């Protein structure tokens, strides 16, 4: 994830040594083991396309990509790396010898193609399931920002998938949303 395309060297010995000394996150990762809550968000074509690209590139479903983005956004990249390591250790401790490959029953999703180059109208209705703890923390941050959870997720996606520069330009074009135009969800 953090490989620069024009890198001139790898990690230093000091970085390798200090990595083993880092304490893991204080999160209870068992809270993220099941997707027992959902978020419904309307996505513009540009965001749906960006999610599709990440999904295809990493061989992950769009909901998995969204869960990863939200987890990293809320808890940080290092907590996500700890989460991955925790899951790998859990899997190894429960592992049974098998033939390898993909888990049975996992199939590729049908293709989606979107080509609009502007953010545009949010016309893709997307419902995805996430761990309840992740939804609770997302809702708390959304309310602190004065947004509904769907608007907050869309804002996070724009910032992380399209970048801060795009987000700033978009906000300048749209301007501040008047209080009367905010969703009822954001006002609760």
């Amino acid at each position: 994830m953090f490989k620069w395309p024009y890198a001139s060297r790898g990690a230093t010995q000091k970085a390798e040594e200090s990595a083993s000394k880092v304490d893991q996150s204080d999160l209870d990762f068992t809270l993220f083991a099941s997707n027992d809550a959902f978020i419904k968000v309307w996505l513009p074509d540009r965001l749906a396309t960006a999610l599709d690209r990440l999904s295809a590139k990493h061989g992950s479903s769009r909901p998995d990509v969204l869960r990863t983005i939200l987890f990293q956004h809320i808890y940080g990249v290092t907590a996500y790396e700890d989460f991955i390591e925790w899951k790998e250790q859990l899997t190894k401790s429960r592992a049974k010898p098998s033939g390898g490959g993909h888990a049975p029953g996992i199939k590729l999703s049908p293709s989606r193609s979107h080509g609009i180059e502007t953010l545009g109208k949010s016309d893709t209705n997307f419902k995805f399931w996430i761990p309840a703890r992740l939804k609770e923390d997302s809702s708390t941050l959304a309310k602190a920002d004065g947004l509904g959870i769907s608007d907050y997720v869309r804002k996070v996606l724009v910032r992380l998938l399209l970048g801060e520069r795009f987000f700033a330009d978009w906000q300048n074009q749209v301007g501040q949303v008047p209080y009367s135009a905010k969703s009822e969800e954001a006002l609760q």
Side-chain angles (χ1 to χ4, degrees):
M1 174 178 191
F2 290 101
K3 185 172 176 113
W4 186 252
Y6 296 103
S8 60
R9 59 188 175 120
T12 63
Q13 183 177 357
K14 182 179 177 182
E16 294 283 342
E17 290 169 0
S18 67
S20 63
K21 297 175 187 173
V22 175
D23 291 333
Q24 283 202 345
S25 173
D26 62 350
L27 286 172
D28 178 1
F29 294 131
T30 60
L31 296 174
F32 302 95
S34 64
N35 300 313
D36 43 4
F38 71 89
I39 294 176
K40 188 174 183 179
V41 62
W42 286 89
L43 298 175
D45 284 339
R46 185 136 182 208
L47 287 178
T49 300
L51 285 173
D52 288 343
R53 286 182 63 196
L54 287 173
S55 174
K57 182 168 181 73
H58 296 282
S60 296
S61 67
R62 285 198 306 180
D64 284 342
V65 171
L66 280 166
R67 283 187 280 270
T68 300
I69 289 169
L70 281 177
F71 189 98
Q72 289 181 355
H73 169 72
I74 293 171
Y75 308 111
V77 174
T78 55
Y80 178 74
E81 294 293 326
D82 291 345
F83 182 37
I84 295 298
E85 186 177 322
W86 173 83
K87 174 62 169 97
E88 288 171 354
Q89 290 173 357
L90 183 66
T91 301
K92 284 179 187 176
S93 70
R94 295 180 179 170
K96 296 177 184 172
S98 66
H102 292 290
I106 293 181
K107 298 177 184 173
L108 294 176
S109 297
S111 173
R112 298 172 191 95
S113 63
H114 304 283
I116 296 176
E117 290 303 318
T118 60
L119 192 55
K121 183 178 178 184
S122 297
D123 56 4
T124 301
N125 181 4
F126 190 67
K127 178 179 176 180
F128 63 104
W129 291 86
I130 64 173
R133 171 69 187 268
L134 188 55
K135 182 176 181 179
E136 290 168 19
D137 290 343
S138 297
S139 294
T140 300
L141 291 171
K143 286 179 185 175
D145 227 6
L147 298 171
I149 194 164
S150 180
D151 294 328
Y152 183 76
V153 169
R154 194 169 33 257
K155 176 182 170 182
V156 167
L157 292 175
V158 168
R159 292 179 105 155
L160 295 176
L161 297 179
L162 305 179
E164 287 292 329
R165 192 169 102 184
F166 181 92
F167 178 76
D169 290 344
W170 176 51
Q171 289 300 293
N172 287 335
Q173 290 176 6
V174 173
Q176 290 295 324
V177 177
Y179 182 81
S180 61
K182 289 191 177 185
S183 69
E184 286 187 32
E185 178 187 10
L187 300 175
Q188 295 177 357

